[in-house]
Amino acid sequence: MNPFLSKILVDVAKKRLSNKKSNKPPSDREIIPYAEKLQVELFHAIKDYFLIIVGVFSAGFGLKGFLLPNHFIDGGVTGISLLIQNLSKIDLGILLVIVNIPFLILGARTFSVKFALKSAVAITFLAIVVHFINYPIVTNDKLLIALFGGFFLGLGIGMAMRGGSVIDGTEVLAVYLSRKFSLTVGDVLLIINIIIFSFGAYVLSIETALYAILTYLAAAKTVDFVVDGVEEYVGVTIISDHHEEIRQMITVKLRRACTIFLGKSGVNTEERTSYKNIIYLVVTRLELSRLHTEIDKIDSNAFTVMGVVKDLKGGMIKKKPLK
């Protein structure tokens, strides 16, 4: 690590530990591990915001280079904003922020305040990009506009989700409603977008609504490709020598339930028997970034296996979001 950055992290760690322990100064044994955790947080934050920035510029290109100049609409908050923009001529950047505000408040309740703040930064950045950057108009062919406008918009949404945020708040609403009712997130998104497209057919034209459906399908498939779908859960298996610390982090800090089962090493079993506790838990795709950060703080060499879970029933997964 860079010596200058290392010194800054050590100073920050020393200051934070001093505030926690006002009676005596922290020792080096306390400062160094804390500084290493700060380093992990910093690197993960850089990675997340890099993905968000790439996503915002991609979504901006889809909007300004394809959809907006040709009066096309999409699903979700973007589609609502484009509809209002077509009717009222209010700047799209302003509408993207205003329409997303209720969903950000819901995101703070459903996931965490940190998630809502990160999403607010991403949405505000998208609004700035849409307002100030003049992307070239690529084509006037309606089919290409629908397909590639949806592709770049979906790529932007997917990259932002990989960074632990959203730039379209309907995903948050869909997750929230799926926890309240017997519906999948995909079902909720479909219902929301049917309403948007029906309104678009009434206000604009049936042809525009049909192209909007094509745009939405292209965007949705791109999001699926980038993040394996917001509606899918991820089963995470963790094998580490620091399994007890990781278990406490999951159950106490993240307030997530997990399952512990005993595993036997398959290497050199004749010479010695090695047993390890293996941790298994299920999280949503939006919560995966936070989990990776916390695991790396404890053991950056932890063996982590992730697999997509199509659906689940019961348990605590839908009741206790990561804080």
Side-chain angles (χ1 to χ4, degrees), residues 53 72 90 107 117 135 144 153 155 158 168 177 180 185 213-214 252 284 309:
I53 290 170
F72 272 46
I90 300 174
L117 290 175
Y135 288 95
L144 293 177
L153 185 59
L155 179 63
D168 191 306
L177 292 178
K180 297 293 182 180
V185 176
I213 294 173
L214 191 59
V252 177
T284 64
V309 179

Side-chain angles (χ1 to χ4, degrees), residues 238-251 258-263 275-280 295 298-299 302:
I238 307 165
I239 303 174
S240 170
D241 292 332
H242 303 274
H243 50 81
E244 181 58 27
E245 293 178 62
I246 294 176
R247 184 197 65 80
Q248 290 184 5
M249 175 271 293
I250 292 170
T251 57
C258 65
T259 299
I260 311 295
F261 53 95
L262 189 64
Y275 292 96
K276 287 185 179 180
N277 284 339
I278 300 173
I279 302 171
Y280 180 81
I295 292 174
I298 299 171
D299 183 8

Side-chain angles (χ1 to χ4, degrees), residues 64-97:
K64 293 290 288 289
F66 292 92
L67 303 181
L68 190 58
N70 298 282
H71 305 287
F72 272 46
I73 63 171
D74 182 38
V77 168
T78 308
I80 297 172
S81 302
L82 286 167
L83 265 176
I84 298 174
Q85 195 268 343
N86 275 294
L87 293 173
S88 64
K89 305 304 178 184
I90 300 174
D91 186 83
L92 179 63
I94 297 174
L95 290 172
L96 286 171
V97 175

Side-chain angles (χ1 to χ4, degrees), residues 153-291:
L153 185 59
L155 179 63
I157 293 172
M159 294 295 282
M161 289 174 60
R162 288 285 298 273
S165 70
V166 294
I167 54 177
D168 191 306
T170 49
E171 282 87 358
V172 175
L173 176 63
V175 171
Y176 175 79
L177 292 178
S178 71
R179 294 176 176 179
K180 297 293 182 180
F181 305 102
S182 299
L183 294 169
T184 66
V185 176
D187 292 337
V188 178
L189 286 174
L190 181 62
I191 293 170
I192 293 171
N193 287 305
I194 286 174
I195 296 172
I196 295 171
F197 297 144
S198 300
F199 191 70
Y202 176 77
V203 173
L204 300 175
S205 67
I206 295 178
E207 183 185 41
T208 301
L210 292 174
Y211 276 115
I213 294 173
L214 191 59
T215 302
Y216 165 71
L217 291 175
K221 289 301 179 183
T222 306
V223 172
D224 288 342
F225 179 76
V226 175
V227 295
D228 293 327
V230 67
E231 71 271 20
E232 293 175 337
Y233 295 98
V234 179
V236 183
T237 302
I238 307 165
I239 303 174
S240 170
D241 292 332
H242 303 274
H243 50 81
E244 181 58 27
E245 293 178 62
I246 294 176
R247 184 197 65 80
Q248 290 184 5
M249 175 271 293
I250 292 170
T251 57
V252 177
K253 187 172 184 179
L254 302 185
R255 299 177 61 196
R256 172 69 71 230
C258 65
T259 299
I260 311 295
F261 53 95
L262 189 64
K264 181 180 178 181
S265 174
V267 180
N268 296 327
T269 54
E270 295 181 358
E271 298 178 7
R272 59 186 177 86
T273 301
S274 176
Y275 292 96
K276 287 185 179 180
N277 284 339
I278 300 173
I279 302 171
Y280 180 81
L281 73 157
V282 178
V283 296
T284 64
R285 176 68 63 174
L286 291 174
E287 298 165 333
L288 197 57
S289 175
R290 172 76 187 282
L291 179 65

